[in-house]
Amino acid sequence: LVEILAAECREEASADLDQALEKCLQELPERQRHLILERYAPGSSVQDLAARRKQTPTALSLALMRIRKALETCIERKLATP
């Protein structure tokens, strides 16, 4: 019974996290949302994306880090509110 309840809690938490992420992605400015989605598309790499955007990989990585931090803060805020 404990294992079943634990599994249900994990599933619920995962669904809440997915919902929060989806909402937070929609709240990002369009340019940032496009960049983060492009980065995590299958087969994408920082090096390839940087070359297409005419940026250095370091500059692109820094921009992605800032976007991920903004998403993390947004998700934490959404999960903390009932």
Side-chain angles (χ1 to χ4, degrees):
L1 178 60
V2 171
E3 290 175 12
I4 293 170
L5 291 174
E8 287 177 2
C9 286
R10 281 192 298 275
E11 288 175 14
E12 186 177 312
S14 179
D16 290 346
L17 182 60
D18 288 348
Q19 261 186 339
L21 174 58
E22 194 62 42
K23 288 179 183 177
C24 290
L25 280 168
Q26 293 305 314
E27 291 177 12
L28 284 175
E30 185 176 344
R31 187 170 179 215
Q32 290 180 354
R33 184 174 55 254
H34 180 73
L35 177 59
I36 199 82
L37 293 175
E38 194 173 358
R39 167 57 188 98
Y40 289 102
S44 180
S45 72
V46 170
Q47 289 76 17
D48 292 340
L49 187 54
R52 285 196 311 267
R53 297 174 62 89
K54 298 183 183 352
Q55 288 182 286
T56 66
T58 302
L60 182 63
S61 292
L62 185 57
L64 289 166
M65 181 188 71
R66 289 180 179 141
I67 295 168
R68 285 191 297 267
K69 182 61 179 168
L71 286 171
E72 177 185 17
T73 301
C74 178
I75 290 168
E76 288 174 349
R77 188 178 65 246
K78 290 203 179 301
L79 292 178
T81 54

